[in-house]
């Protein structure tokens, strides 16, 4: 089943994109400088990861626990 039709998988993909974009922005800031267009989406995801990092970390932890249990 596609991740778009399974809410659990969709949340996992969203958390993965946020964490990956934040990591890339920290390592290679020039890649995500553009704030508009297609790369602007990834810039926004990196910004969410930077500003809401405790909540993103809690979401990743909760997702990991739910994968282990379910």
């Amino acid at each position: 089943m596609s991740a778009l039709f399974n809410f659990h998988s969709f949340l996992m993909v969203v958390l993965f994109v946020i964490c990956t974009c934040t990591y890339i922005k920290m390592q290679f800031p020039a890649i995500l400088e553009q704030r508009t267009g297609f790369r602007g989406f990834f810039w926004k995801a990196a910004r969410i990861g930077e500003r809401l990092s405790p909540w993103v970390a809690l979401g990743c932890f909760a997702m990991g626990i739910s994968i282990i249990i379910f």
Side-chain angles (χ1 to χ4, degrees), residues 53-68:
S53 60
W55 292 102
V56 172
L58 182 66
C60 289
F61 182 75
M63 189 63 64
I65 294 297
S66 72
I67 288 172
I68 291 172

Side-chain angles (χ1 to χ4, degrees), residues 3 16 23 42-43 45 54-55 61 65-66 69:
F16 180 69
Y23 177 77
F42 298 111
W43 178 84
W55 292 102
F61 182 75
I65 294 297
S66 72
I69 292 174

Side-chain angles (χ1 to χ4, degrees), residues 27-62:
Q27 297 297 320
F28 309 104
I31 293 175
L32 295 176
E33 282 182 355
Q34 191 175 18
R35 297 181 183 183
T36 59
F38 183 69
R39 288 195 302 181
F41 171 77
F42 298 111
W43 178 84
K44 290 175 187 175
R47 197 62 151 169
I48 290 170
E50 290 173 351
R51 291 192 175 179
L52 298 175
S53 60
W55 292 102
V56 172
L58 182 66
C60 289
F61 182 75

